Coordinates of all heavy atoms in Angstrom, one line a residue:
M1 N 16.5 -37.3 -55.6 CA 15.4 -36.6 -56.4 C 15.0 -35.3 -55.7 O 14.6 -34.4 -56.4 CB 14.2 -37.6 -56.5 CG 14.5 -38.8 -57.4 SD 13.1 -39.9 -57.6 CE 12.0 -38.9 -58.6
I2 N 15.0 -35.3 -54.4 CA 14.6 -34.0 -53.7 C 15.6 -33.0 -54.0 O 15.3 -31.8 -54.2 CB 14.5 -34.3 -52.2 CG1 13.2 -35.1 -51.9 CG2 14.4 -33.0 -51.4 CD1 11.9 -34.5 -52.3
D3 N 16.9 -33.3 -54.0 CA 18.0 -32.4 -54.4 C 17.7 -31.9 -55.8 O 17.9 -30.6 -56.0 CB 19.3 -33.0 -54.2 CG 20.5 -32.1 -54.5 OD1 20.5 -31.0 -53.9 OD2 21.3 -32.4 -55.3
S4 N 17.4 -32.7 -56.7 CA 17.1 -32.3 -58.1 C 15.9 -31.4 -58.1 O 15.9 -30.3 -58.8 CB 16.9 -33.5 -59.0 OG 18.0 -34.3 -59.2
A5 N 14.9 -31.7 -57.4 CA 13.7 -30.9 -57.3 C 14.0 -29.5 -56.8 O 13.5 -28.5 -57.3 CB 12.6 -31.5 -56.5
S6 N 14.9 -29.4 -55.8 CA 15.2 -28.1 -55.2 C 15.9 -27.2 -56.2 O 15.7 -26.0 -56.3 CB 16.0 -28.2 -53.9 OG 17.2 -28.8 -54.1
R7 N 16.8 -27.9 -57.0 CA 17.6 -27.2 -58.1 C 16.6 -26.7 -59.2 O 16.8 -25.7 -59.8 CB 18.7 -28.0 -58.6 CG 19.9 -27.9 -57.6 CD 21.2 -28.6 -58.2 NE 21.2 -29.9 -57.6 CZ 21.3 -31.0 -58.3 NH1 21.3 -31.0 -59.6 NH2 21.3 -32.2 -57.7
I8 N 15.7 -27.6 -59.5 CA 14.7 -27.3 -60.5 C 13.9 -26.0 -60.1 O 13.6 -25.1 -60.9 CB 13.7 -28.5 -60.8 CG1 14.5 -29.6 -61.5 CG2 12.5 -28.1 -61.6 CD1 13.8 -30.9 -61.6
V9 N 13.5 -26.0 -58.8 CA 12.7 -24.9 -58.3 C 13.6 -23.6 -58.4 O 13.1 -22.5 -58.8 CB 12.2 -25.1 -56.9 CG1 11.6 -23.9 -56.3 CG2 11.1 -26.2 -56.9
A10 N 14.8 -23.7 -57.9 CA 15.7 -22.5 -57.8 C 16.0 -22.0 -59.2 O 16.1 -20.8 -59.3 CB 17.0 -22.9 -57.1
N11 N 16.2 -22.9 -60.1 CA 16.6 -22.4 -61.5 C 15.5 -22.4 -62.5 O 15.7 -22.0 -63.7 CB 17.7 -23.4 -62.0 CG 18.9 -23.4 -61.1 OD1 19.3 -22.3 -60.6 ND2 19.5 -24.5 -61.0
R12 N 14.3 -22.8 -62.1 CA 13.1 -22.9 -63.0 C 13.5 -23.6 -64.3 O 13.2 -23.2 -65.4 CB 12.6 -21.5 -63.3 CG 12.1 -20.8 -62.1 CD 11.5 -19.5 -62.3 NE 11.0 -18.9 -61.1 CZ 10.1 -18.0 -61.0 NH1 9.7 -17.4 -62.1 NH2 9.7 -17.5 -59.8
D13 N 14.1 -24.8 -64.1 CA 14.6 -25.6 -65.2 C 13.6 -26.6 -65.7 O 13.4 -27.7 -65.1 CB 15.9 -26.3 -64.7 CG 16.7 -26.9 -65.8 OD1 16.1 -27.2 -66.9 OD2 17.9 -27.2 -65.6
V14 N 12.9 -26.2 -66.8 CA 11.9 -27.1 -67.3 C 12.5 -28.4 -67.9 O 11.8 -29.5 -67.7 CB 11.1 -26.3 -68.4 CG1 10.1 -27.2 -69.1 CG2 10.4 -25.1 -67.8
A15 N 13.6 -28.3 -68.5 CA 14.2 -29.6 -69.1 C 14.5 -30.6 -68.0 O 14.3 -31.8 -68.1 CB 15.5 -29.2 -69.9
K16 N 15.1 -30.1 -66.9 CA 15.4 -31.0 -65.8 C 14.1 -31.6 -65.1 O 14.1 -32.7 -64.6 CB 16.3 -30.3 -64.7 CG 17.7 -30.0 -65.1 CD 18.5 -31.2 -65.1 CE 20.0 -30.9 -65.4 NZ 20.8 -32.0 -65.4
A17 N 13.1 -30.8 -65.2 CA 11.8 -31.2 -64.6 C 11.3 -32.5 -65.4 O 10.8 -33.4 -64.8 CB 10.8 -30.1 -64.7
A18 N 11.5 -32.4 -66.7 CA 11.0 -33.6 -67.5 C 11.9 -34.8 -67.2 O 11.4 -35.9 -67.2 CB 11.1 -33.2 -69.0
Q19 N 13.2 -34.6 -67.0 CA 14.1 -35.6 -66.7 C 13.7 -36.3 -65.3 O 13.8 -37.5 -65.2 CB 15.5 -35.1 -66.6 CG 16.6 -36.2 -66.4 CD 18.0 -35.6 -66.3 OE1 18.2 -34.4 -66.6 NE2 18.9 -36.4 -66.0
L20 N 13.3 -35.5 -64.4 CA 12.9 -36.0 -63.1 C 11.7 -37.0 -63.2 O 11.6 -37.9 -62.5 CB 12.6 -34.8 -62.2 CG 12.5 -35.2 -60.7 CD1 13.8 -35.7 -60.1 CD2 12.0 -34.0 -59.9
E21 N 10.8 -36.7 -64.2 CA 9.7 -37.6 -64.4 C 10.2 -39.0 -64.7 O 9.6 -40.0 -64.2 CB 8.8 -37.1 -65.5 CG 8.1 -35.8 -65.2 CD 6.6 -36.0 -64.9 OE1 6.2 -37.1 -64.8 OE2 6.0 -35.0 -64.7
S22 N 11.2 -39.1 -65.6 CA 11.7 -40.4 -66.0 C 12.4 -41.1 -64.8 O 12.3 -42.3 -64.6 CB 12.6 -40.4 -67.2 OG 13.8 -39.7 -66.9
E23 N 13.0 -40.3 -63.9 CA 13.7 -40.9 -62.7 C 12.6 -41.4 -61.8 O 12.8 -42.5 -61.1 CB 14.5 -39.8 -62.0 CG 15.7 -39.4 -62.7 CD 16.5 -38.3 -62.0 OE1 16.3 -38.1 -60.8 OE2 17.3 -37.7 -62.7
D24 N 11.4 -40.8 -61.7 CA 10.3 -41.3 -60.9 C 9.8 -42.6 -61.5 O 9.5 -43.5 -60.7 CB 9.2 -40.3 -60.8 CG 8.1 -40.7 -59.9 OD1 8.4 -41.0 -58.7 OD2 6.9 -40.8 -60.4
D25 N 9.8 -42.8 -62.8 CA 9.3 -44.0 -63.4 C 10.3 -45.1 -62.9 O 9.9 -46.3 -62.6 CB 9.3 -43.9 -64.9 CG 8.2 -43.0 -65.4 OD1 7.3 -42.7 -64.6 OD2 8.3 -42.6 -66.6
E26 N 11.6 -44.8 -62.9 CA 12.6 -45.8 -62.5 C 12.4 -46.2 -61.0 O 12.5 -47.3 -60.6 CB 14.0 -45.3 -62.7 CG 15.1 -46.3 -62.4 CD 16.4 -45.7 -62.7 OE1 16.6 -44.8 -63.5 OE2 17.4 -46.2 -62.0
M27 N 12.0 -45.2 -60.2 CA 11.8 -45.4 -58.8 C 10.6 -46.3 -58.6 O 10.6 -47.2 -57.7 CB 11.5 -44.1 -58.0 CG 11.3 -44.2 -56.6 SD 12.7 -44.8 -55.6 CE 13.6 -43.2 -55.5
D28 N 9.6 -46.1 -59.4 CA 8.4 -47.0 -59.3 C 8.7 -48.4 -59.7 O 8.3 -49.4 -59.0 CB 7.3 -46.5 -60.3 CG 6.7 -45.1 -59.9 OD1 6.9 -44.7 -58.7 OD2 6.1 -44.5 -60.7
L29 N 9.6 -48.6 -60.7 CA 10.0 -50.0 -61.0 C 10.8 -50.6 -59.9 O 10.7 -51.8 -59.7 CB 10.8 -49.9 -62.3 CG 10.0 -49.6 -63.6 CD1 10.9 -49.5 -64.8 CD2 8.9 -50.7 -63.8
L30 N 11.7 -49.8 -59.3 CA 12.5 -50.4 -58.2 C 11.6 -50.8 -57.1 O 11.9 -51.9 -56.4 CB 13.5 -49.3 -57.7 CG 14.7 -49.0 -58.6 CD1 15.4 -47.7 -58.1 CD2 15.6 -50.2 -58.6
R31 N 10.5 -50.1 -56.8 CA 9.6 -50.5 -55.7 C 8.9 -51.8 -56.1 O 8.8 -52.7 -55.2 CB 8.6 -49.4 -55.5 CG 7.7 -49.7 -54.3 CD 6.8 -48.5 -53.9 NE 5.8 -49.0 -53.0 CZ 4.5 -49.2 -53.3 NH1 4.1 -49.0 -54.5 NH2 3.7 -49.6 -52.4
K32 N 8.5 -52.0 -57.3 CA 7.9 -53.2 -57.7 C 8.9 -54.4 -57.6 O 8.5 -55.5 -57.2 CB 7.4 -53.1 -59.2 CG 6.2 -52.3 -59.3 CD 5.7 -52.2 -60.7 CE 4.5 -51.2 -60.8 NZ 4.0 -51.1 -62.2
D33 N 10.1 -54.2 -58.0 CA 11.2 -55.2 -57.9 C 11.4 -55.6 -56.4 O 11.6 -56.7 -56.1 CB 12.5 -54.8 -58.5 CG 12.4 -54.7 -60.0 OD1 11.5 -55.3 -60.6 OD2 13.3 -54.1 -60.6
L34 N 11.3 -54.6 -55.6 CA 11.5 -54.8 -54.1 C 10.4 -55.8 -53.6 O 10.7 -56.7 -52.9 CB 11.5 -53.5 -53.4 CG 11.5 -53.6 -51.8 CD1 12.9 -54.2 -51.4 CD2 11.3 -52.3 -51.2
F35 N 9.2 -55.5 -54.0 CA 8.1 -56.4 -53.6 C 8.3 -57.8 -54.1 O 8.0 -58.8 -53.4 CB 6.7 -55.9 -54.1 CG 6.0 -55.0 -53.1 CD1 6.0 -53.6 -53.3 CD2 5.4 -55.5 -52.0 CE1 5.4 -52.8 -52.4 CE2 4.8 -54.7 -51.1 CZ 4.8 -53.3 -51.3
R36 N 8.7 -57.9 -55.3 CA 9.0 -59.3 -55.9 C 10.0 -60.0 -55.0 O 9.9 -61.2 -54.8 CB 9.4 -59.2 -57.3 CG 8.3 -58.9 -58.3 CD 8.8 -59.0 -59.7 NE 7.9 -58.4 -60.6 CZ 8.0 -57.2 -61.2 NH1 9.2 -56.6 -61.0 NH2 7.1 -56.6 -61.9
S37 N 11.1 -59.3 -54.6 CA 12.1 -59.9 -53.8 C 11.5 -60.3 -52.4 O 11.9 -61.4 -51.9 CB 13.3 -58.9 -53.6 OG 13.9 -58.6 -54.8
L38 N 10.7 -59.4 -51.8 CA 10.2 -59.7 -50.5 C 9.2 -60.9 -50.5 O 9.1 -61.6 -49.6 CB 9.4 -58.5 -50.0 CG 10.3 -57.3 -49.7 CD1 9.5 -56.1 -49.3 CD2 11.3 -57.6 -48.6
L39 N 8.5 -61.1 -51.7 CA 7.5 -62.2 -51.8 C 8.1 -63.4 -52.3 O 7.5 -64.5 -52.4 CB 6.4 -61.7 -52.6 CG 5.5 -60.6 -52.0 CD1 4.5 -60.1 -53.0 CD2 4.9 -60.9 -50.7
G40 N 9.4 -63.4 -52.8 CA 10.0 -64.5 -53.4 C 10.5 -65.5 -52.3 O 10.5 -65.3 -51.1
D41 N 10.9 -66.7 -52.8 CA 11.3 -67.8 -52.0 C 12.7 -67.5 -51.3 O 13.0 -68.1 -50.3 CB 11.5 -69.1 -52.8 CG 10.1 -69.6 -53.2 OD1 9.1 -69.3 -52.6 OD2 10.1 -70.3 -54.3
S42 N 13.4 -66.5 -51.9 CA 14.8 -66.3 -51.3 C 14.7 -65.4 -50.1 O 15.7 -65.3 -49.4 CB 15.7 -65.6 -52.4 OG 15.1 -64.3 -52.8
W43 N 13.6 -64.7 -49.8 CA 13.5 -63.9 -48.6 C 13.3 -64.8 -47.4 O 12.3 -65.5 -47.2 CB 12.3 -62.9 -48.7 CG 12.2 -62.0 -47.5 CD1 11.4 -62.2 -46.4 CD2 13.0 -60.9 -47.3 NE1 11.7 -61.2 -45.5 CE2 12.6 -60.4 -46.0 CE3 13.9 -60.2 -48.0 CZ2 13.1 -59.2 -45.5 CZ3 14.5 -59.0 -47.4 CH2 14.1 -58.5 -46.2
D44 N 14.3 -64.8 -46.5 CA 14.2 -65.7 -45.3 C 14.5 -65.0 -44.0 O 14.9 -65.5 -43.0 CB 15.3 -66.9 -45.5 CG 16.7 -66.4 -45.6 OD1 16.9 -65.2 -45.7 OD2 17.6 -67.2 -45.7
H45 N 14.1 -63.7 -44.0 CA 14.3 -62.9 -42.8 C 13.1 -62.6 -42.0 O 13.1 -61.9 -41.0 CB 14.9 -61.5 -43.3 CG 16.1 -61.6 -44.1 ND1 17.4 -62.0 -43.5 CD2 16.3 -61.5 -45.4 CE1 18.3 -62.0 -44.5 NE2 17.7 -61.7 -45.6
G46 N 12.0 -63.2 -42.4 CA 10.8 -63.1 -41.6 C 9.8 -62.0 -42.1 O 10.1 -61.2 -43.0
I47 N 8.7 -62.0 -41.4 CA 7.6 -61.1 -41.9 C 7.9 -59.6 -41.4 O 7.7 -58.7 -42.2 CB 6.2 -61.6 -41.3 CG1 5.9 -62.9 -42.0 CG2 5.1 -60.5 -41.6 CD1 4.7 -63.6 -41.4
E48 N 8.2 -59.5 -40.2 CA 8.4 -58.1 -39.7 C 9.5 -57.3 -40.4 O 9.2 -56.2 -40.9 CB 8.8 -58.1 -38.2 CG 8.8 -56.7 -37.6 CD 9.0 -56.7 -36.1 OE1 8.8 -57.8 -35.4 OE2 9.3 -55.7 -35.5
P49 N 10.7 -57.9 -40.7 CA 11.6 -57.1 -41.6 C 11.1 -56.9 -43.0 O 11.3 -55.9 -43.6 CB 12.8 -58.0 -41.6 CG 12.7 -58.9 -40.4 CD 11.3 -59.1 -40.2
A50 N 10.3 -57.8 -43.5 CA 9.7 -57.6 -44.8 C 8.8 -56.4 -44.8 O 8.8 -55.6 -45.8 CB 9.0 -58.9 -45.3
V51 N 8.0 -56.3 -43.8 CA 7.0 -55.2 -43.7 C 7.8 -53.9 -43.6 O 7.5 -52.9 -44.3 CB 6.1 -55.4 -42.5 CG1 5.3 -54.1 -42.3 CG2 5.1 -56.5 -42.8
D52 N 8.9 -53.9 -42.8 CA 9.7 -52.7 -42.6 C 10.3 -52.3 -43.9 O 10.3 -51.1 -44.3 CB 10.8 -52.9 -41.5 CG 10.2 -53.0 -40.1 OD1 9.1 -52.5 -39.9 OD2 11.0 -53.5 -39.3
V53 N 10.9 -53.2 -44.7 CA 11.5 -52.9 -45.9 C 10.5 -52.5 -47.0 O 10.7 -51.5 -47.7 CB 12.3 -54.2 -46.4 CG1 12.8 -53.9 -47.9 CG2 13.5 -54.4 -45.5
A54 N 9.3 -53.1 -47.0 CA 8.3 -52.7 -47.9 C 7.8 -51.2 -47.6 O 7.6 -50.4 -48.5 CB 7.1 -53.6 -47.8
L55 N 7.7 -50.9 -46.3 CA 7.3 -49.5 -46.0 C 8.4 -48.5 -46.3 O 8.1 -47.5 -46.8 CB 7.0 -49.5 -44.5 CG 5.7 -50.1 -44.0 CD1 5.6 -50.1 -42.5 CD2 4.5 -49.4 -44.6
L56 N 9.6 -48.9 -46.1 CA 10.7 -48.0 -46.4 C 10.7 -47.8 -48.0 O 10.9 -46.6 -48.4 CB 12.0 -48.6 -46.0 CG 13.3 -47.8 -46.2 CD1 13.2 -46.5 -45.4 CD2 14.5 -48.6 -45.8
G57 N 10.5 -48.8 -48.7 CA 10.4 -48.6 -50.2 C 9.3 -47.7 -50.6 O 9.4 -46.9 -51.5
R58 N 8.2 -47.8 -49.9 CA 7.0 -47.0 -50.2 C 7.3 -45.5 -49.8 O 6.9 -44.6 -50.6 CB 5.8 -47.5 -49.4 CG 4.6 -46.6 -49.5 CD 4.0 -46.6 -50.8 NE 2.8 -45.8 -50.8 CZ 2.4 -45.1 -51.8 NH1 3.1 -45.0 -52.9 NH2 1.3 -44.3 -51.8
Y59 N 8.0 -45.3 -48.7 CA 8.3 -43.9 -48.3 C 9.2 -43.3 -49.4 O 9.0 -42.1 -49.7 CB 9.0 -43.9 -47.0 CG 8.1 -44.4 -45.8 CD1 8.6 -45.0 -44.7 CD2 6.7 -44.3 -45.9 CE1 7.8 -45.5 -43.7 CE2 5.8 -44.8 -44.9 CZ 6.4 -45.4 -43.8 OH 5.6 -45.9 -42.8
Y60 N 10.2 -44.0 -49.8 CA 11.1 -43.5 -50.8 C 10.4 -43.2 -52.1 O 10.6 -42.2 -52.8 CB 12.3 -44.4 -51.1 CG 13.5 -44.2 -50.1 CD1 13.8 -45.2 -49.2 CD2 14.2 -43.1 -50.1 CE1 14.8 -45.0 -48.3 CE2 15.3 -42.9 -49.3 CZ 15.6 -43.9 -48.3 OH 16.6 -43.7 -47.5
E61 N 9.5 -44.1 -52.5 CA 8.7 -43.9 -53.7 C 7.8 -42.6 -53.6 O 7.7 -41.8 -54.5 CB 7.9 -45.1 -54.0 CG 7.2 -45.1 -55.4 CD 5.8 -44.6 -55.3 OE1 5.2 -44.7 -54.3 OE2 5.3 -44.2 -56.4
R62 N 7.3 -42.4 -52.4 CA 6.4 -41.2 -52.2 C 7.2 -39.9 -52.2 O 6.8 -38.9 -52.7 CB 5.7 -41.3 -50.9 CG 4.5 -42.3 -50.9 CD 3.4 -41.9 -51.9 NE 2.8 -40.6 -51.6 CZ 2.3 -39.7 -52.5 NH1 2.4 -39.9 -53.8 NH2 1.8 -38.6 -52.1
I63 N 8.5 -40.0 -51.7 CA 9.3 -38.8 -51.8 C 9.6 -38.5 -53.2 O 9.5 -37.3 -53.6 CB 10.6 -39.1 -51.0 CG1 10.4 -39.1 -49.5 CG2 11.7 -38.0 -51.4 CD1 11.6 -39.6 -48.7
G64 N 9.8 -39.5 -54.1 CA 10.0 -39.2 -55.5 C 8.7 -38.6 -56.1 O 8.8 -37.7 -56.9
D65 N 7.6 -39.1 -55.7 CA 6.3 -38.5 -56.2 C 6.2 -37.0 -55.8 O 5.8 -36.2 -56.7 CB 5.1 -39.3 -55.7 CG 5.0 -40.7 -56.2 OD1 5.6 -41.0 -57.3 OD2 4.2 -41.5 -55.6
H66 N 6.6 -36.7 -54.6 CA 6.5 -35.3 -54.2 C 7.5 -34.4 -55.0 O 7.2 -33.3 -55.3 CB 6.8 -35.2 -52.7 CG 5.7 -35.7 -51.9 ND1 4.4 -35.2 -51.9 CD2 5.6 -36.7 -50.9 CE1 3.6 -35.9 -51.1 NE2 4.4 -36.8 -50.5
A67 N 8.7 -35.0 -55.3 CA 9.7 -34.2 -56.1 C 9.1 -33.9 -57.4 O 9.3 -32.8 -58.0 CB 11.0 -35.0 -56.1
V68 N 8.5 -34.9 -58.0 CA 7.9 -34.7 -59.4 C 6.8 -33.7 -59.3 O 6.6 -32.9 -60.2 CB 7.4 -36.1 -59.9 CG1 6.5 -35.9 -61.2 CG2 8.5 -37.0 -60.3
S69 N 6.0 -33.7 -58.3 CA 4.9 -32.7 -58.1 C 5.5 -31.3 -58.1 O 5.0 -30.4 -58.7 CB 4.1 -33.0 -56.8 OG 3.1 -32.1 -56.6
M70 N 6.6 -31.1 -57.3 CA 7.3 -29.8 -57.3 C 7.7 -29.4 -58.7 O 7.6 -28.3 -59.1 CB 8.5 -29.9 -56.3 CG 8.1 -30.0 -54.9 SD 9.5 -30.4 -53.8 CE 10.6 -29.0 -54.2
A71 N 8.3 -30.4 -59.4 CA 8.8 -30.1 -60.7 C 7.7 -29.7 -61.7 O 7.8 -28.8 -62.5 CB 9.6 -31.3 -61.3
R72 N 6.6 -30.4 -61.6 CA 5.4 -30.1 -62.4 C 4.9 -28.7 -62.2 O 4.5 -28.0 -63.1 CB 4.3 -31.1 -62.2 CG 4.6 -32.4 -62.8 CD 3.5 -33.4 -62.6 NE 3.8 -34.7 -63.2 CZ 3.2 -35.8 -62.8 NH1 2.2 -35.8 -61.9 NH2 3.5 -36.9 -63.5
R73 N 5.0 -28.2 -60.9 CA 4.5 -26.9 -60.6 C 5.5 -25.8 -61.2 O 5.0 -24.8 -61.6 CB 4.4 -26.7 -59.1 CG 3.3 -27.5 -58.5 CD 3.3 -27.5 -57.0 NE 2.4 -28.5 -56.4 CZ 1.3 -28.1 -55.8 NH1 1.0 -26.8 -55.6 NH2 0.4 -29.0 -55.4
V74 N 6.7 -26.2 -61.2 CA 7.7 -25.3 -61.9 C 7.4 -25.2 -63.4 O 7.4 -24.1 -63.9 CB 9.2 -25.7 -61.6 CG1 10.1 -25.0 -62.5 CG2 9.5 -25.5 -60.1
V75 N 7.1 -26.3 -64.0 CA 6.8 -26.3 -65.4 C 5.6 -25.4 -65.6 O 5.6 -24.6 -66.6 CB 6.5 -27.7 -66.0 CG1 6.0 -27.7 -67.3 CG2 7.8 -28.5 -65.9
F76 N 4.6 -25.5 -64.8 CA 3.4 -24.6 -64.9 C 3.8 -23.2 -64.7 O 3.3 -22.3 -65.5 CB 2.3 -25.1 -64.0 CG 1.1 -24.2 -64.0 CD1 0.2 -24.3 -65.1 CD2 0.9 -23.2 -63.1 CE1 -0.9 -23.5 -65.2 CE2 -0.3 -22.4 -63.1 CZ -1.1 -22.6 -64.2
L77 N 4.6 -22.9 -63.7 CA 4.9 -21.5 -63.5 C 5.7 -20.9 -64.7 O 5.5 -19.7 -65.0 CB 5.8 -21.4 -62.2 CG 5.0 -21.5 -60.9 CD1 6.0 -21.6 -59.7 CD2 4.0 -20.4 -60.7
V78 N 6.6 -21.7 -65.3 CA 7.4 -21.2 -66.4 C 6.7 -21.1 -67.7 O 6.8 -20.1 -68.4 CB 8.7 -22.0 -66.5 CG1 9.5 -21.6 -67.7 CG2 9.6 -21.9 -65.2
T79 N 5.9 -22.2 -68.0 CA 5.3 -22.3 -69.3 C 3.8 -21.9 -69.3 O 3.2 -21.7 -70.4 CB 5.5 -23.7 -69.9 OG1 4.7 -24.6 -69.1 CG2 6.9 -24.1 -69.9
G80 N 3.2 -22.1 -68.2 CA 1.7 -21.9 -68.1 C 0.9 -23.1 -68.6 O -0.3 -23.0 -68.7
Q81 N 1.7 -24.2 -68.8 CA 1.0 -25.4 -69.2 C 1.2 -26.5 -68.2 O 2.2 -26.6 -67.5 CB 1.6 -25.9 -70.5 CG 1.4 -24.9 -71.7 CD 1.8 -25.4 -73.0 OE1 2.1 -26.6 -73.1 NE2 1.7 -24.6 -74.0
I82 N 0.1 -27.3 -68.1 CA 0.1 -28.4 -67.2 C 0.7 -29.6 -67.9 O 0.3 -30.0 -69.0 CB -1.3 -28.7 -66.7 CG1 -1.9 -27.5 -66.0 CG2 -1.3 -30.0 -65.8 CD1 -3.3 -27.7 -65.6
S83 N 1.7 -30.3 -67.2 CA 2.3 -31.4 -67.8 C 1.6 -32.7 -67.5 O 0.9 -32.8 -66.6 CB 3.8 -31.5 -67.4 OG 3.9 -31.7 -66.0

């Protein structure tokens, strides 16, 4: 997503910016699914690894949020409208 955001900024690509928003929605769903797995009965690796994996998922989700923020700024620069 960061790679896509950098290309969106470089090319001022409004269409790709909108596409990145949907990719972020998918990232949010993946994070929720990760939590379900960590809290499910099949997780047998202990608490510390679960916390590490949960944090890692959160970090990736936040990176996606930052990429979307960059893309939204490009949309504003190109169109003058807030998405």
Side-chain angles (χ1 to χ4, degrees):
M1 290 180 73
I2 291 296
D3 184 51
S4 293
S6 68
R7 281 187 262 125
I8 289 166
V9 170
N11 300 323
R12 297 183 178 197
D13 191 338
V14 174
K16 290 282 186 185
Q19 183 180 357
L20 194 62
E21 292 258 3
S22 67
E23 290 177 20
D24 183 55
D25 293 341
E26 185 177 336
M27 182 68 82
D28 294 342
L29 290 174
L30 286 170
R31 183 170 171 258
K32 287 180 184 179
D33 288 343
L34 176 64
F35 268 104
R36 284 188 197 105
S37 296
L38 294 174
L39 296 173
D41 293 334
S42 63
W43 183 263
D44 60 356
H45 304 287
I47 293 172
E48 188 173 344
V51 170
D52 290 341
V53 171
L55 287 172
L56 184 61
R58 174 69 177 139
Y59 299 149
Y60 275 112
E61 190 266 337
R62 284 299 296 148
I63 289 170
D65 290 343
H66 290 301
V68 168
S69 178
M70 291 171 56
R72 286 179 180 161
R73 290 170 191 250
V74 168
V75 169
F76 177 75
L77 287 172
V78 172
T79 67
Q81 297 193 5
I82 298 173
S83 62

